[in-house]
């Protein structure tokens, strides 16, 4: 689908929203009709997202004519979504009501005058025409093209019933089929609501300040660099950077995080998030079509159009299944009468019933509804799954490998321990921060942050003769005394040796995965500062949940063995691999795939790109605002946290189970109904109930995926 759309986009391409699709077959017919329109060079329909992409020139009126067979309604994608009428008041359902009333009246007439009388016959015929007119048009067109779809089967069955005098049953089949289609349409609309609700998250207008003048502007007219004013209680219309104010933002719509996040100057903010407290001024950094929310919606819609392996199997199976049903029905209608002299009308009737029960609706809809529902549910919960294939692969995972830095840990070092040897802790920490102010090392930043947290006034200290000692640390003069800040090896060189108790303390902290920095002079050691890349609060819980799901968890890191073992044991992974270069991670993922077949790699989407690509499913952290994560990964966790991973696995597993249930049930119900032909028990009533019941049950079964929560 993505490749086809990229080909379309080489020239002018426009997308439209479609309202009223009931099945994939109808979508295919509509696509062909659009391609035949004057001025249209090519077209592609996305059934899951209910969109049509058109290359060339056309009008909404022409598109609606192309979709008139299904009473489709078209609107420009940029237009505001119009709320549909309640299901029972929708115009396309009115013909069903009229047809049903005619059927009931005809039944009473049949009871009064007899079923063979002209009055009930006319009534049944009127009911068939009213309820089945569009069905017959589609069916006859398909028959002319030798395209044996469900419309063809139903048309032959209903007209055949009329020919052999079963007007009442023919009318009943029309009514029940129309009801089935209406309920299918309702169910698909329900499944699509997860994405449509995403579209409504961000407001369509925003208060903008330009050249000291404030004005309300539509999002399509907002430019990069505009200043957006967001009041408490309002949602952000655009992505941007805070230039004034501090507030807490509820980012649940984008990242799935339930806890509001504090945002202040220079922090990135996203369209669709809710400003809860303060007044913010935000400099717009992206146009409306490039916002994180727009990208999420676009990628999810494309994902819903990607066919899962099970769907590809079903589509291929249905291609041969439908003609086979027609042949079986023909044989049932003809063979018993020709070979055994049986009653022609009875076996023609049985053959027509086989056509109805053999309708592939339930089978064809069994997979796409599940895929659309699951991917939509995931998107609402802050997980972007980029296609049905990836959804199925995630459900089959046997092992998950995690990068350490920035994935299991926060990726930012922090001070964990301070050990003093004479003097005051705050005094020595103040000196250390003053010296480290001149360093660009990440560990120096962590020490400065710690001093700021403790409220230490290190900026007023005069530092002289600052000098970096390559690979070991720094030195500087304060109050005519030379101080050194660096690794323990630097002080071994300065002092010749370090006392055993201090060596033991250093070793103890290093065993815990911490890096030790030392403050001292040429003669003595004053302070040990231990730093570590802090564990994410949720990492241990997430790994524990995955282990309970019987998934092997591994940690792959380029860090040293001691630190890796300390972090790995703390988080609870079942295997640890350290000192790995990017190519080592890639090779290890390949080994895992050979052993476990289905393997995921979880990383930040940048450094781990080769390993993410080599895994069965690549999972990127922090998709919100990270273009690389959105583009490279098969699954993106929109919040910069792992707590959505177990939910994703459980949703994928549930989707796999439901897809298998749907396919099995669809085939089983038809097999049972076909077996009723042997004793001659299969009626058109039973056939349509079997077909309609199977379709509704697989659809409702798929909608259970909307209820899967964290």
């Amino acid at each position: 689908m993505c490749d086809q759309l990229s080909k379309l986009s080489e020239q002018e391409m426009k997308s439209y929203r479609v309202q009223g699709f009931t099945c994939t077959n109808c979508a295919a017919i509509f696509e062909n009709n659009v391609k035949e329109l004057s001025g249209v060079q090519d077209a592609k329909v996305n059934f899951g997202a209910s969109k049509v992409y058109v290359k060339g020139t056309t009008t909404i009126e022409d598109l609606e004519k192309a979709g008139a067979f299904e009473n489709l309604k078209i609107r420009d994608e940029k237009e505001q979504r119009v709320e549909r009428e309640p299901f029972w008041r929708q115009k396309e359902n009115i013909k069903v009501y009229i047809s049903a009333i005619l059927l009931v009246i005809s039944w009473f007439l049949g009871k009064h005058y007899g079923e063979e009388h002209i009055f009930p016959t006319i009534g049944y015929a009127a009911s068939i025409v009213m309820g089945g007119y569009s069905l017959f048009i589609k069916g006859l067109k398909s028959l002319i093209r030798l395209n044996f779809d469900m419309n063809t089967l139903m048309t032959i069955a209903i007209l055949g019933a009329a020919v052999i005098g079963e007007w009442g049953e023919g009318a009943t089949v029309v009514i029940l089929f129309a009801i089935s289609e209406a309920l299918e349409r309702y169910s698909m609309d329900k499944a699509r609501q997860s994405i449509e609700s995403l579209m409504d998250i961000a407001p369509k207008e925003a208060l903008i300040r330009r050249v000291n003048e404030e004005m309300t502007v539509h999002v399509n007219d907002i430019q990069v660099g505009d200043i957006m004013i967001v009041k408490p209680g309002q949602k952000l219309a655009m992505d941007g950077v805070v230039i004034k104010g501090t507030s807490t933002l509820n980012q649940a719509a984008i990242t799935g995080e339930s806890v509001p996040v504090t945002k202040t100057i220079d922090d990135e903010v996203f369209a669709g998030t809710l400003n809860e407290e303060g007044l913010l001024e935000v400099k717009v950094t992206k146009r409306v079509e490039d916002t994180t929310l727009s990208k999420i919606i676009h990628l999810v819609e494309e994902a819903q159009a990607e066919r899962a392996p099970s769907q590809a199997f079903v589509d291929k199976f249905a291609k041969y299944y439908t003609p086979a049903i027609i042949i079986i029905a023909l044989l049932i209608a003809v063979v018993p009468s020709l070979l055994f002299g049986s009653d022609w009308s009875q076996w023609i009737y049985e053959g027509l019933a086989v056509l109805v029960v053999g309708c592939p609706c339930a089978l064809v809809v069994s997979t796409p509804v599940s895929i659309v529902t699951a991917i939509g549910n995931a998107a609402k919960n802050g997980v972007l799954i980029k296609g049905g294939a990836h959804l199925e692969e995630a459900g089959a995972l046997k092992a998950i490998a995690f990068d350490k830095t920035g994935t299991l840990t926060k990726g930012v070092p922090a001070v964990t321990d301070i050990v003093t040897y004479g003097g005051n802790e705050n005094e020595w920490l103040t000196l250390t921060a003053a010296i480290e102010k001149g360093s660009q090392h990440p560990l120096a930043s962590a020490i400065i942050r710690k001093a700021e947290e403790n409220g230490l006034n290190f900026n007023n200290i005069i530092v002289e003769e600052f000098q970096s000692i390559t690979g070991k640390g720094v030195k500087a003069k304060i109050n005519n005394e030379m101080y050194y800040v660096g690794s323990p090896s630097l002080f071994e060189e300065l002092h010749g040796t370090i006392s055993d108790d201090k060596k033991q303390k250093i070793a103890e902290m290093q065993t815990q995965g911490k890096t030790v920095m030392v403050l001292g002079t040429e003669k003595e050691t004053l302070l040990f500062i231990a730093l570590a890349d802090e564990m994410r609060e949720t990492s241990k819980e997430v790994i524990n949940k995955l282990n309970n799901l019987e998934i092997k968890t591994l940690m792959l890191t380029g860090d040293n063995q001691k630190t890796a073992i300390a972090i790995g044991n703390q988080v609870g992974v079942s295997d640890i691999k350290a000192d790995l270069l990017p190519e080592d991670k890639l090779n290890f993922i390949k080994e895992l795939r050979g052993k476990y077949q289905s393997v995921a790699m979880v990383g930040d989407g940048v450094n781990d790109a080769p390993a993410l690509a080599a895994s069965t499913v690549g999972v990127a952290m922090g998709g919100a605002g990270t273009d690389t994560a959105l583009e490279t990964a098969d699954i993106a966790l929109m919040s910069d946290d792992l707590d959505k991973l177990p939910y994703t696995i459980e949703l994928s597993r549930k989707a796999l189970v439901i897809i298998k249930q749907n396919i099995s049930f669809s085939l089983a119900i038809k097999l049972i109904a076909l077996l009723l032909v042997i004793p001659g028990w299969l009626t058109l009533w039973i056939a349509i109930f079997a077909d309609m019941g199977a379709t509704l049950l697989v659809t409702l079964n798929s909608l259970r995926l909307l209820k899967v929560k964290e």
Side-chain angles (χ1 to χ4, degrees), residues 529-545:
I529 301 177
L531 304 99
D533 184 1
E534 281 189 298
M535 185 89 67
R536 292 184 184 274
E537 291 82 358
T538 56
S539 292
K540 188 172 183 178
E541 183 185 353
V542 167
I543 296 298
N544 187 45
K545 284 181 180 177

Side-chain angles (χ1 to χ4, degrees), residues 132-194:
Y133 173 77
S134 59
L135 167 67
F136 300 146
I137 298 297
K138 289 185 280 187
L140 290 171
K141 283 183 178 179
S142 296
L143 191 58
I144 291 167
R145 296 171 182 160
L146 296 179
N147 179 18
F148 300 110
D149 56 20
M150 59 187 175
N151 296 307
T152 312
L153 299 186
M154 297 301 292
T155 300
I156 295 171
I158 293 162
L159 294 178
V163 168
I164 64 173
E166 296 289 347
W167 290 95
E169 293 212 22
T172 305
V173 167
V174 166
I175 294 288
L176 292 174
F177 184 73
I179 292 171
S180 174
E181 280 205 315
L183 290 173
E184 265 187 67
R185 190 164 51 244
Y186 172 78
S187 302
M188 280 306 301
D189 284 347
K190 192 81 174 169
R192 291 189 185 105
Q193 277 176 10
S194 52

Side-chain angles (χ1 to χ4, degrees), residues 335-563:
V335 170
S337 301
L338 280 180
L339 297 184
F340 308 110
S342 301
D343 181 25
W344 276 95
S345 62
Q346 179 193 344
W347 288 101
I348 288 174
Y349 178 85
E350 290 289 335
L352 295 174
V354 167
L355 284 180
V356 174
V357 82
C359 193
C361 301
L363 187 63
V364 170
V365 84
S366 60
T367 303
V369 179
S370 302
I371 298 296
V372 168
T373 305
I375 289 176
N377 184 5
K380 285 185 75 174
N381 283 284
V383 180
L384 182 60
I385 303 174
K386 293 170 65 177
H390 306 309
L391 177 74
E392 290 194 10
E393 290 285 6
L397 287 174
K398 298 289 187 296
I400 300 179
F402 295 86
D403 174 44
K404 179 181 77 71
T405 307
T407 302
L408 291 173
T409 64
K410 293 180 179 177
V412 180
V415 173
T416 57
D417 304 271
I418 298 176
V419 181
T420 57
Y421 292 93
N424 180 276
E425 177 184 307
N426 281 343
E427 180 188 345
W428 298 139
L429 182 58
T430 304
L431 286 179
T432 309
I435 294 167
E436 289 287 23
K437 212 167 53 166
S439 174
Q440 299 298 316
H441 198 280
L443 296 180
S445 301
I447 292 169
I448 291 168
R449 279 198 304 276
K450 181 65 176 176
E452 288 172 343
E453 286 170 15
N454 289 5
L456 304 179
N457 190 12
F458 57 89
N459 288 309
N460 292 338
I461 293 179
I462 298 170
V463 178
E464 300 174 312
E465 298 180 26
F466 176 88
Q467 186 180 340
S468 176
I469 306 169
T470 306
K472 294 175 183 176
V474 295
K475 66 177 181 178
K477 187 176 282 187
I478 297 174
N479 295 331
N480 293 321
E481 177 83 47
M482 185 64 75
Y483 290 93
Y484 294 80
V485 180
S487 63
S489 59
L490 171 63
F491 284 85
E492 282 187 354
E493 290 180 12
L494 285 172
H495 301 161
T497 183
I498 296 177
S499 63
D500 290 341
D501 62 320
K502 289 176 183 173
K503 274 187 179 178
Q504 187 177 347
K505 188 63 181 176
I506 291 168
E508 180 188 318
M509 289 191 286
Q510 286 178 335
T511 305
Q512 294 169 359
K514 299 170 183 176
T515 300
V516 180
M517 300 283 284
V518 183
L519 168 71
T521 63
E522 290 180 352
K523 296 178 181 178
E524 60 181 333
T525 302
L526 303 171
L527 184 76
F528 285 169
I529 301 177
L531 304 99
D533 184 1
E534 281 189 298
M535 185 89 67
R536 292 184 184 274
E537 291 82 358
T538 56
S539 292
K540 188 172 183 178
E541 183 185 353
V542 167
I543 296 298
N544 187 45
K545 284 181 180 177
L546 294 174
N547 289 335
N548 290 338
L549 290 171
E550 297 183 354
I551 292 176
K552 184 175 178 65
T553 53
L554 307 96
M555 186 177 79
L556 310 182
T557 179
D559 215 334
N560 65 77
Q561 189 76 20
K562 274 187 179 180
T563 303

Side-chain angles (χ1 to χ4, degrees), residues 34-86:
V34 173
K35 286 178 180 178
E36 291 171 7
L37 290 175
S38 175
V40 173
Q41 298 166 45
D42 201 359
K44 189 68 189 172
V45 166
N46 181 333
F47 173 69
S50 208
K51 288 173 72 172
V52 59
Y53 299 86
V54 180
K55 183 174 75 174
T57 55
T58 189
T59 63
I60 287 177
E61 289 74 19
D62 286 340
L63 289 172
E64 288 191 340
K65 283 179 186 175
F69 70 95
E70 187 77 347
N71 197 28
L72 300 179
K73 299 299 175 190
I74 315 295
R75 65 178 171 86
D76 192 304
E77 187 172 22
K78 291 183 179 180
E79 286 180 16
Q80 186 78 22
R81 180 164 67 98
V82 179
E83 205 63 42
R84 290 198 78 182
E85 286 279 331

